[in-house]
Structure formats: structure tokens, C-alpha cells
């Protein structure tokens, strides 16, 4: 049976005040019930080693909720306000499933977030038991939307989509510079995210004219990258392509700097720190020149700049988690608006069939395919230049020309 959150009826809300209304016969106004809030769940790692990402996601989601409520709430429901309920995955898959159960019990009409691929896999599976719509934000494992779960949708690009863009841009970058990069070393975390991406790189790079000289795997969290850096120094690859979460990326970049490992470029794909202003601000020398192909907001959209300002006002460093979760909440609220009810089945139907504005993400109109994947999702290529994260590809969003070799 589908678990479903139902707002209290207007009659139920008004009944308690009926006697009082009778005694004020001359009152010129009719008291109206405040529409019940539409509860949206946000599942993020609010504690544990991924907590920084969860905190930024919360800021973005709360910014969207305030914007929606200030504009009059869900108009199809009489101006019902949106209420955000945050669940903590505690940076691990099992806790993500538990937090999903708690959000279901809290009566949310839909859940957004997940962040990491492993967490998103277990959380969406848990949500499927209750026909609870789940819109994944930034987790990229292809398998998330390949399990025939009608409740599961992904807002951002998956592995395959992102690597196609990243590799096409890498070839363009290398060709424009006269093909200085011929050899590549892959460094990745050993979870679902890093291992999956490394496998795609091994399949694709040789056909594009790049020789893979080494594939180096490491655990997450990692405490030391000295051996990795020493191995890379001995191999001297032209390019290093890393795939990590934030802490491991920072650790690797700093260790490479300390060991004087200087490739022609560090070209990250979903590179954790490479799209975070904390890395850029705290370790400017290690960050300078690093490329990334990642989730990133449209830099020409004024709301993207406003989100960055809001993040910094709260004493945080801006990264993609804020804009993508801002945009994800806007999509979920629009799905409720189109459904005309805080009804899970109706929201799933709208997500499966309608088009949605994409907030500040560079997706045009969001449209989910039969698997639940947003077919319009597009990662952007960035490079750290003079202490700023600049979009370099595609041309429609570019803020600067790439600098390569670094």
C-alpha cells in the first residue's frame, strides 16, 4: 500500500473556531484556514566526512524554499507554503536508507538529494517501498536510474553523459594546444563513484589517442597520498585524471605540490575540490590551473551569484552543491504545482511526463527520459585561474579561455 501524506481538510481546521465566530456577528471578514504546508525532504550528509557538501546543499535548498514561499507558495494549493525537512545520511549508505525511512514517516511528498552514488542507491530503493518520489541531485552512477524504479529520477548528468562531455572537451583542449598530452594516469577513490569513472576512462581514453600508464585506487577516507605522489613522480604522466571526494582531492593536490610533481595538467572529472572555493582559497598554489568537468551553475544567471553571496554570508565556501540543490527544490515544487496536490503518485506522474525549468543549472528545460534521467543535464568544464573558478567550456557559458599546458 502506498504511504501518503494528507493535508488536514479545511473543514477540520475551521471546526475548532466555529463557536467563536458565532459570537462576533458583526465581523466583516471570513476567517480562512492556512493551507497545510507541503513537506519536501532533503537527504544530505549533514554529518560525517561528507558533511561539508550536505551543509552547502541545505543552504541552496533553504534559499529556494524562501524564494518559493515569498512568491506566494504553491498556488495550485491555495498558497500552501513549502516546508523543508532535512534528513542526515551521516555520509554512509545504510544511514541514508534509515534517514529516508524517517522522512517518509514525517510525511514528505517527495525527497531530493542523496549526493553520493552509494547513498543514493540505498536511499532511492528505500523510498521505492513507499512510492515516494526521489529526485537525485549530484550522484552520478549510471545504475541509479537503471533499476526500473518508477519513483527515482536524477536531475544532474550521469557518468556516461558527463564523461562524453569531459572527454570531448579534453580532446579539444589538447588539440588546440598542439597535442602536448599523450600519457595519462588515473587516480580514483575505490567506491562506486571513483571505480565506475575509472572504468569508463580505461574504456574510452585509448581510442582518443591517450596512453594510460597507471590506474591508482585508494580508500575513502584516505589519510596519506605520499605513495601515490611518489608513483606519479616516477611515471611522469602528461595528465593526471583524478576522481575523489573533497578531502582526498585536497590531500592529493597538496601532496603533488610538496613532491614537486608537475604534470602538464590535472584534469578532474567530478573532482571534488576542483569545484570548491574552499580549496581555491586555502590552497591557491595547489589549485591554480586545475581543470574540472562537474556540476556547475550558469554563471550568467543572477541567482547563481546571489547563492554564492548567501553561502559566503553564512561563513562557508561556495561549491556546486548549493546551486544544484536550489534548482532541485524548484523542480520538486513545480512538480507539486503541476500535480495540483501534495500527492506522491501525482508528483511521480508529473516528473515522468512534464518539462520543468532548471533553476540556475545550465540544462535549458529539464525533461526526464523513460529511465528517470534528466536528458538535458549538462556538466560544465571549469579551470582555476588567478584564484577564481572560471567556466571554459562550452562556449555558451564560457567566462575565460583555457590555459594549457598549465
Amino acid at each position: 500500500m502506498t504511504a501518503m501524506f494528507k493535508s488536514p481538510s479545511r473543514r477540520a481546521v475551521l471546526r475548532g473556531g466555529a463557536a467563536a465566530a458565532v459570537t462576533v456577528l458583526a465581523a466583516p471578514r471570513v476567517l480562512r484556514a492556512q493551507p497545510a504546508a507541503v513537506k519536501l525532504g532533503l537527504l544530505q550528509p549533514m554529518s560525517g566526512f561528507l558533511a561539508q557538501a550536505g551543509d552547502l546543499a541545505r543552504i541552496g535548498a533553504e534559499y529556494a524554499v524562501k524564494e518559493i514561499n515569498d512568491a506566494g507558495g504553491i498556488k495550485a494549493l491555495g498558497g500552501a507554503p513549502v516546508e523543508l525537512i532535512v534528513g542526515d545520511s551521516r555520509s554512509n549508505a545504510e544511514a541514508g536508507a534509515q534517514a529516508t525511512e524517517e522522512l517518509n514517516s514525517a510525511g514528505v511528498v517527495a525527497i531530493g538529494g542523496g549526493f553520493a552514488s552509494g547513498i543514493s542507491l540505498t536511499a532511492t530503493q528505500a523510498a521505492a517501498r513507499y512510492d515516494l518520489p526521489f529526485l537525485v541531485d549530484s550522484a552520478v552512477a549510471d545504475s541509479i536510474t537503471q533499476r526500473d524504479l518508477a519513483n527515482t529520477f536524477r536531475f544532474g548528468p550521469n557518468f556516461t553523459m558527463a564523461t562524453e562531455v569531459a572527454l570531448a572537451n579534453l580532446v579539444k583542449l589538447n588539440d588546440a594546444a598542439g597535442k602536448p598530452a599523450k600519457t595519462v594516469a588515473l587516480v580514483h577513490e575505490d567506491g562506486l563513484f571513483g571505480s565506475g569513472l575509472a572504468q569508463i576512462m580505461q574504456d574510452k581514453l585509448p581510442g582518443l589517442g591517450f596512453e594510460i600508464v597507471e590506474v591508482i585506487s585508494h580508500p575513502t577516507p584516505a589519510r596519506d597520498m605520499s605513495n601515490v605522489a611518489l608513483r606519479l613522480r616516477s611515471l611522469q604522466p602528461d595528465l593526471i585524471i583524478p576522481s575523489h571526494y573533497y578531502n582526498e582531492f585536497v590531500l592529493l593536490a597538496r601532496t603533488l605540490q610538496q613532491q614537486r610533481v608537475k604534470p602538464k595538467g590535472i584534469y578532474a572529472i567530478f573532482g571534488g575540490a576542483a569545484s570548491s572555493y574552499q580549496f581555491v582559497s586555502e590552497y591557491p598554489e595547489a589549485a591554480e590551473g586545475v581543470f574540472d568537468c562537474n556540476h556547475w551553475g550558469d554563471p550568467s544567471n543572477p541567482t547563481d551569484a546571489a547563492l554564492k553571496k548567501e553561502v559566503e554570508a553564512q561563513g562557508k565556501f561556495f561549491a556546486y552543491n548549493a546551486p544544484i540543490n536550489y534548482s532541485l527544490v524548484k523542480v520538486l515544487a513545480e512538480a507539486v504545482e503541476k500535480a495540483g496536490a501534495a500527492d506522491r503518485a501525482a508528483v511521480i506522474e508529473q516528473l515522468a511526463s512534464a518539462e520543468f525549468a532548471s533553476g540556475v543549472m545550465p540544462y535549458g528545460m529539464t525533461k526526464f527520459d523513460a529511465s528517470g534521467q534528466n536528458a538535458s543535464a549538462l556538466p560544465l568544464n571549469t579551470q582555476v585561474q588567478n584564484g577564481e573558478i572560471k567556466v571554459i567550456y562550452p562556449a555558451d557559458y564560457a567566462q575565460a579561455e583555457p590555459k594549457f599546458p598549465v
Side-chain angles (χ1 to χ4, degrees):
M1 182 179 293
T2 301
M4 192 170 296
F5 168 71
K6 295 183 179 180
S7 303
S9 69
R10 175 168 303 205
R11 178 175 298 176
V13 172
L14 290 178
R15 186 179 297 126
V22 170
T23 65
V24 190
L25 298 176
R29 296 182 301 169
V30 176
L31 296 177
R32 295 184 179 274
Q34 172 70 26
V38 174
K39 297 180 180 180
L40 295 181
L42 180 73
L43 180 70
Q44 291 292 338
M46 304 307 300
S47 60
F49 73 100
L50 299 174
Q52 176 178 274
D55 201 29
L56 292 177
R58 173 192 57 78
I59 293 173
E62 288 177 349
Y63 195 95
V65 168
K66 184 177 186 304
E67 199 170 82
I68 292 164
N69 290 341
D70 286 351
I74 306 296
K75 296 176 178 60
L77 300 181
V82 172
E83 178 185 349
L84 189 70
I85 301 178
V86 178
D88 182 9
S89 69
R90 306 200 299 279
S91 298
N92 72 80
E94 182 180 353
Q98 293 170 353
T100 300
E101 296 279 352
E102 292 166 3
L103 289 170
N104 173 67
S105 297
V108 300
V109 69
I111 297 176
F115 179 62
S117 292
I119 296 170
S120 295
L121 278 168
T122 59
T124 51
Q125 189 75 49
R129 293 198 288 269
Y130 306 102
D131 295 327
L132 174 56
F134 198 119
L135 182 55
V136 174
D137 56 351
S138 55
V140 292
D142 287 11
S143 55
I144 290 171
T145 55
Q146 293 176 345
R147 296 169 295 159
D148 295 323
L149 298 181
N151 72 309
T152 300
F153 302 84
R154 177 173 21 221
F155 183 51
N158 61 19
F159 270 147
T160 300
M161 297 166 69
T163 52
E164 286 177 359
V165 171
L167 292 177
N169 288 341
L170 176 58
V171 170
K172 184 190 303 183
L173 180 74
N174 199 38
D175 287 353
K179 298 187 177 181
K182 297 178 174 61
T183 59
V184 177
L186 306 176
V187 184
H188 69 93
E189 64 94 28
D190 64 1
L192 181 63
F193 158 56
S195 298
L197 199 54
Q199 185 59 58
I200 292 175
M201 292 295 101
Q202 292 176 78
D203 293 341
K204 300 288 187 181
L205 283 171
L208 298 173
F210 297 97
E211 177 191 355
I212 299 174
V213 296
E214 191 87 352
V215 180
I216 303 174
S217 173
H218 66 80
T220 298
R223 300 285 183 260
D224 185 83
M225 288 284 186
S226 298
N227 290 337
V228 174
L230 288 172
R231 180 62 179 154
L232 291 171
R233 188 167 70 179
S234 69
L235 291 166
Q236 296 186 352
D238 297 324
L239 283 176
I240 297 172
I241 298 183
S243 296
H244 320 280
Y245 295 110
Y246 180 85
N247 292 333
E248 285 65 37
F249 193 106
V250 171
L251 185 58
L252 176 65
R254 293 184 65 200
T255 308
L256 292 176
Q257 183 189 14
Q258 292 162 1
Q259 298 285 352
R260 301 184 184 279
V261 180
K262 297 181 178 180
K264 293 182 172 71
I266 297 177
Y267 190 87
I269 302 176
F270 295 121
S275 293
S276 168
Y277 270 97
Q278 180 169 356
F279 176 50
V280 174
S281 299
E282 294 182 349
Y283 309 104
E285 292 184 11
E288 187 64 25
V290 173
F291 297 93
D292 196 10
C293 184
N294 211 329
H295 313 287
W296 199 250
D298 176 0
S300 67
N301 189 315
T303 302
D304 192 60
L307 280 167
K308 185 171 184 290
K309 185 176 180 180
E310 176 64 22
V311 168
E312 292 170 347
Q314 296 194 32
K316 314 290 182 181
F317 291 100
F318 185 71
Y320 66 79
N321 313 81
I324 198 170
N325 279 274
Y326 163 88
S327 305
L328 176 145
V329 167
K330 297 285 258 187
V331 170
L332 288 177
E334 187 178 349
V336 175
E337 187 79 60
K338 290 178 182 293
D343 179 273
R344 295 176 177 182
V347 169
I348 289 174
E349 182 179 356
Q350 289 301 317
L351 289 171
S353 60
E355 288 188 340
F356 303 89
S358 298
V360 298
M361 302 308 289
Y363 302 163
M365 293 300 291
T366 285
K367 173 68 175 174
F368 299 101
D369 64 19
S371 73
Q373 173 62 50
N374 180 6
S376 305
L378 175 72
L380 297 184
N381 266 81
T382 61
Q383 185 181 26
V384 180
Q385 297 183 2
N386 301 317
E388 295 288 336
I389 299 172
K390 297 290 188 182
V391 176
I392 56 170
Y393 296 130
D396 288 348
Y397 301 99
Q399 300 168 288
E401 292 291 326
K403 296 178 180 180
F404 182 73
V406 176

